Amino acid sequence: MRIGILTGGGDAPGLNGVIEAAGKTLLSLGHQVIGIRDGFEGVFAGQVFPIEAPFLEGLHSHAGTALGTSNKCGTEGREAEFLECYKKLNLDGLIVAGGDGTFNGLKSFKNDIHLIGVPKTIDNDLAGTDITFGYDTACSVVAESVDALRYTAHAHKRVMVIEVMGRTAGWIALGGGMSAYADVILIPERPFHREELKKFILEKKNTQRGLVCVVSEGAFAEGESPEVAFHVPEAPQPERLGGIGESMAHWVQHSTDWESRHIVLGHLQRSKPPTTTDRFLTLAMGVQVAQLVHQKDWFKAAVYRQGVVQVAPLEELMQPPRLVDPNHRWVKMAQAVGIYI
Ligand code: F6P
């Protein structure tokens, strides 16, 4: 068969691992592999190329995606055009590594395109899977940053506020912040109480020289709303959150008289070489999707549940985002070690 591979949405460390594992498995099973450039844009523009073995060699250790991607190009309102362009590619099946934006953009093609999905996002908020690749790498960037910034916080007797990604989900702040024992972790699923937080910070001011606060870009105080940094009008998800790190640092300094600085980790969280955990996950998922293709078991996805990579209906990735339960066991563990959350 002639099988396309497409990576869509924001990049996540591990995309190249999926391309390498799925590509190598498909080639060894005798299939032809076609790379599609820049997500859906490549389908509309007919930008495709044959993938041979040398192209795949060593991809797994690199961040980004060798195919390119886009989080600006949707199919909404252009479904007929998309299908017409897709047919011209003459593919027997399509492997898509994407997030909710990408999979929702493919919802209407169930009867027209032989699809296989791989869940991807650093935010870890995709329904249908316990974990997405890229998340572990993003958490490791956050944890390394907390460990590093604690030194300057204590040296200068300051509060360091670290804003991290995650959109409406607090997984990155929670996983990364807990791994490095941040003093405070603020997530969107648990709107914080300003007076209570102020009291916690003032108590810490009496007992330690510095303090590190990890704040999710979507976090907000009770009765307030998430801060929107700007809009990307042409994107399927146009709002870009951000700004809470800076406003938190100002608020902490003003309300506790403890000198504060902020840092936004931003796209560094998406751009590091994947961790071993993410590499292993993408190898397992890449092999799994290639096998699904070989068996012509269409409209399925490789997901991670209960410690293993499994097969699930693709629709399960198209559900609303999987947010952190406000009383999740991780929240309780964080509280047990004295983290304010
Ligand atoms: O969904 C992944 C993500 O990195 C979010 O955590 C973040 O809010 C958004 O993408 C940033 O998008 P962009 O790359 O368009 O700035």
Side-chain angles (χ1 to χ4, degrees), residues 17-37:
V18 173
I19 299 168
E20 181 170 349
K24 283 182 168 173
T25 312
L26 286 170
L27 290 176
S28 75
L29 290 168
H31 301 291
Q32 211 189 331
V33 185
I34 304 297
I36 298 176
R37 297 215 190 264

Side-chain angles (χ1 to χ4, degrees), residues 10 71 121-123 165-167 172 217 230 232 240-241 267 270:
N71 60 3
T121 168
I122 62 162
D123 302 339
M165 281 186 168
R167 282 199 302 143
I172 297 178
E217 62 185 3
F230 58 94
V232 183
R240 292 295 177 271
L241 300 177
H267 295 79
R270 296 212 315 234

Side-chain angles (χ1 to χ4, degrees), residues 8 96-104 117-133 135 166-167 169 171 237 285 301-305 314-323:
V96 175
D100 48 357
T102 306
F103 290 121
N104 279 309
V118 191
K120 164 250 49 162
T121 168
I122 62 162
D123 302 339
N124 199 37
D125 63 348
L126 212 52
T129 184
D130 295 346
I131 208 152
T132 49
F133 68 82
Y135 173 62
R167 282 199 302 143
W171 292 110
Q237 292 161 325
M285 286 186 162
V303 297
Y304 185 83
R305 290 181 192 165
L314 190 53
E315 280 101 341
E316 293 188 14
L317 302 185
M318 297 168 175
Q319 305 307 313
R322 189 179 58 88
L323 303 179

